[in-house]
Each structure stands twice: as C-alpha cells, then as structure tokens.
Amino acid sequence: MNEYLLMFADAVFGFVALFVLVKVLGKTQISSLTPFDFISAVIIGELVGNALFEKESGIPEIAFLITLWGTMLYITELITQKYKGSRHILEGRPSMVIHKGHIVYDELKQNRLDIDELQHMLRSKDVFSVEEVEYAILEADGTVSVLRKPEYQTPTNADLNVSPKPVKIGRVVISDGEIVWDNLKEANLSQTWLEEELHRQNIQSVRDVFYAEWQENQQKLFIALYHYKPEQKD
C-alpha cells in the first residue's frame, strides 16, 4: 500500500510541476511547436515517466529534473529573444519553397520535402493547384503559409469598393441542452426572448437543443438539435 501511495504522490507532483512549467514557458511552446520544442516535450515526458517508475526516485528527483530542464528551456527562450542571430539556430527559420510562382527545388531538398508533401500542405490551405500560388513559405513549425496569385485571390471589400460592416462574433447561448447565461447576458438577450425564438422554430424546450448560436451580424439564431446516427439494419 505504501508503494502505491508513493506512486500517487509522485504522479500528482509531476502533473502539477509540468502544469506550472507550461504556464511559465508560455503558450508559444504549444502553439508554435518547432522541432526543438517537440524534442523537449518528449524528453520531459521521458524524464518524468522514468522517475515515476524508478523505485529509487521520488518527488525530489522529479522536481530536480523538471526544474533543470525547464530552466534550460527558459534560458533558451531568453537567448532567442535577446539575440536575433541565435533564432535560426535554435528555432529554425522560414524557407520560401515557392517564389513568384516557381517551385524552389533547392529549398525543398534542404528541408527534405518532396512534391507530394508540398501538395498535401497546400491542400490544407484550400489550394488544390500549384499554379494558383505566387509565394509559399515553409514555417519553422512545419506549417506552410500561402499567398495566391492575384487572379486567384478572394476580393476584399476594399477591392469591390464596398463599405465594410462592423464585425461581431457569434455567441453560444445554448450548449448541450443548457443555457449559457453569461453569453445570453452579453448579447443583451433574455430567457423569454430565447424561449419565444425556440417556439417560433417549433422547438418545445431548451433541453431539445444541442447547440444554439446568436449570430448578431445576421440577427438570427442558429439552432442544431440532437442528431443521432441511424441504426443500421442487419
């Protein structure tokens, strides 16, 4: 029993320590995961995992490993922020794989990227033909940024000389059969209005609604009811 209690204490401490480490290092460690960041995350997981299952290791050893590795990561972040020249070494640098409509073979080769992988990355950006691309940049985190040729770009309000309208976000007012009171209040809507709107759309109860969103730009309520996969007959 004592052994399980020690494992429980180690696991809880490791969880809390990793949570604090992520908070200290910031969201960029997750949102912009470079190859170096990925390797760091794997190593942290290995260090904590090994410490948890080693009988000789305990909370002090886990704390030491996480603190040491977290400190090195933090110092690395400080170096990249203070010395710009170190960024391409520690974080990598973007590579222009398509320049003025031409695929730069040398950049593909240097980044070990073949044409099939490039096409897959372009399709993830809703580009289904290389011909549409004027510039494509392979970012340090492995994603690709695309600028289409003028004839393939979606026109903006400025291009069409159309007066822009204020942009307002949609607010979730019902989630999984429950009213989201904060959003309903922020949208200056009442429960009475919501119930009347549901009845107008032939919905008897809030509990029947899986998801409802107030679209302020269009002044309408989008509603999605519970929908289950139909049973397959043998």
Side-chain angles (χ1 to χ4, degrees), residues 19-229:
F19 179 81
V20 172
L21 180 61
V22 171
K23 289 294 184 181
V24 171
L25 293 178
K27 296 179 180 179
T28 55
Q29 286 292 113
I30 305 301
S31 60
S32 302
L33 197 63
T34 65
F36 178 77
D37 296 330
F38 175 77
I39 294 172
S40 297
V42 172
I43 291 178
I44 290 176
E46 285 290 324
L47 292 175
V48 176
N50 291 336
L52 287 176
F53 292 100
E54 284 287 340
K55 294 183 179 180
E56 295 80 7
S57 301
I59 290 178
E61 288 77 13
I62 297 174
F64 173 76
L65 290 174
I66 293 180
T67 303
L68 176 61
W69 196 260
T71 302
M72 289 191 293
L73 288 178
Y74 186 71
I75 292 174
T76 302
E77 291 293 325
L78 290 179
I79 292 174
T80 55
Q81 291 175 12
K82 189 171 183 179
Y83 303 102
K84 296 181 180 180
S86 65
R87 293 177 184 175
H88 73 277
I89 298 175
L90 298 174
E91 296 181 348
R93 57 183 175 184
S95 301
M96 190 169 294
V97 292
I98 298 181
H99 180 262
K100 293 185 177 179
H102 300 286
I103 299 175
V104 185
Y105 176 74
D106 290 341
E107 291 292 343
L108 291 181
K109 186 177 179 181
Q110 183 177 350
N111 289 279
R112 296 176 178 82
L113 189 69
D114 59 44
I115 187 63
D116 292 332
E117 292 173 320
L118 177 61
Q119 288 178 309
H120 169 74
M121 298 170 76
L122 292 176
R123 287 193 295 270
S124 69
K125 297 293 185 179
D126 296 327
V127 176
F128 291 85
S129 174
V130 178
E131 183 185 5
E132 300 179 13
V133 181
E134 183 73 5
Y135 295 98
I137 299 174
L138 181 65
E139 304 292 355
D141 62 355
T143 60
V144 65
S145 301
V146 178
L147 179 64
R148 286 183 170 93
K149 294 178 180 178
E151 58 267 31
Y152 295 107
Q153 292 182 12
T154 303
T156 64
N157 287 336
D159 296 328
L160 300 175
N161 199 24
V162 175
S163 299
K165 297 180 179 179
V167 177
K168 298 179 180 179
I169 63 173
R171 298 186 184 276
V172 180
V173 293
I174 299 178
S175 177
D176 204 6
E178 299 287 341
I179 298 176
V180 184
W181 295 105
D182 291 343
N183 289 349
L184 195 68
K185 183 178 180 180
E186 288 180 5
N188 293 321
L189 302 174
S190 66
Q191 182 179 359
T192 302
W193 172 89
L194 181 61
E195 292 174 347
E196 290 176 352
E197 185 65 23
L198 294 179
H199 291 155
R200 191 179 68 82
Q201 298 193 33
N202 298 319
I203 299 171
Q204 301 303 317
S205 172
V206 172
R207 291 189 297 271
D208 297 329
V209 180
F210 176 63
Y211 177 86
E213 178 183 279
W214 171 242
Q215 300 174 343
E216 193 168 356
N217 277 345
Q218 302 179 31
Q219 291 292 299
K220 74 174 185 178
L221 183 68
F222 170 78
I223 296 175
L225 301 177
Y226 286 94
H227 182 76
Y228 300 97
K229 183 178 180 180

